[in-house]
């Protein structure tokens, strides 16, 4: 997993810079909380006691600057040690962001091993619909004392 992350980082660093009208727009900041319901859909335990592959569904409810619900799918691989795992997920969020109604998608991946945790979330480019068309930026998830928080720094075309 670390090798893939480093390879992706090297590719991203080598990619030419791309200018976007959305990046020239006024930056917005949105924060709030969310609740997540994760439901296992399938599980495939390895025959040798190593990895377990799982597919799960996600249902989230967002509050704060983003008032929305979402549906998503997660694929996960767990190791033989309970604190070792990795996942990828795609989620479509529908609702209002700072009073603008629409939808957008995020993609995320992460891994954990013992106390180490890495999570990366990205707004899918050009996924915004309705009044969120042209949405671009970052989406960060923080977990503190068992509660989930989100932090968005974003722009909208022309806004």
């Amino acid at each position: 997993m670390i090798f893939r992350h480093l390879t992706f980082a090297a590719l991203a660093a080598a990619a030419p810079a791309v200018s976007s009208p959305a990046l020239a727009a006024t930056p917005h900041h949105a924060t709030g909380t969310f609740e997540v319901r994760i439901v296992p859909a399938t599980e495939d335990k390895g025959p040798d006691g190593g990895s377990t592959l799982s597919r799960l569904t996600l249902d989230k409810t967002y509050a704060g600057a983003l008032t929305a619900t979402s549906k998503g799918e997660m694929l996960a691989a767990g190791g033989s040690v309970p604190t070792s795992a990795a996942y990828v997920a795609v989620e479509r969020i529908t609702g209002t962001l700072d009073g603008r109604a629409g939808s957008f998608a995020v993609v995320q991946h992460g891994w954990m091993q013992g106390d180490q945790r890495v999570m990366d979330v990205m707004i899918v480019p050009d996924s915004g619909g309705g009044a969120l068309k042209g949405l671009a930026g970052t989406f960060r998830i923080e977990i503190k004392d068992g509660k989930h928080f989100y932090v968005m720094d974003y722009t909208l075309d022309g806004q």
Side-chain angles (χ1 to χ4, degrees), residues 7-101:
T7 302
F8 179 75
L11 288 173
V18 177
S19 63
S20 166
L23 296 178
T26 304
H28 300 275
H29 185 75
T31 62
T33 60
F34 70 93
E35 293 184 18
V36 61
R37 181 173 163 250
I38 301 173
V39 178
T42 62
E43 184 175 84
D44 178 19
K45 292 186 181 274
D48 57 3
S51 63
T52 298
L53 302 177
S54 303
R55 186 174 65 81
L56 308 104
T57 61
L58 305 171
D59 291 298
K60 294 182 183 176
T61 304
Y62 292 88
L66 175 63
T67 304
T69 58
S70 77
K71 297 280 185 197
E73 294 279 331
M74 177 186 288
L75 299 175
S80 58
V81 176
T83 58
S84 295
Y87 78 95
V88 295
V90 178
E91 170 185 355
R92 183 179 53 241
I93 300 170
T94 305
T96 60
L97 174 60
D98 287 331
R100 296 172 188 91

Side-chain angles (χ1 to χ4, degrees), residues 106-132:
V106 296
V107 61
Q108 57 183 292
H109 71 273
W111 62 266
M112 64 182 198
Q113 183 177 25
D115 291 339
Q116 291 184 307
R117 305 239 183 310
V118 173
M119 183 186 315
D120 185 40
V121 185
M122 179 181 122
I123 297 172
V124 175
D126 301 316
S127 66
L132 298 178

Side-chain angles (χ1 to χ4, degrees), residues 30-34 62-67 97 139-142 148-152:
T31 62
T33 60
F34 70 93
Y62 292 88
L66 175 63
T67 304
L97 174 60
F139 191 103
R140 194 169 69 247
I141 294 174
E142 299 174 355
H148 292 79
F149 300 88
Y150 66 87
V151 177
M152 291 180 69

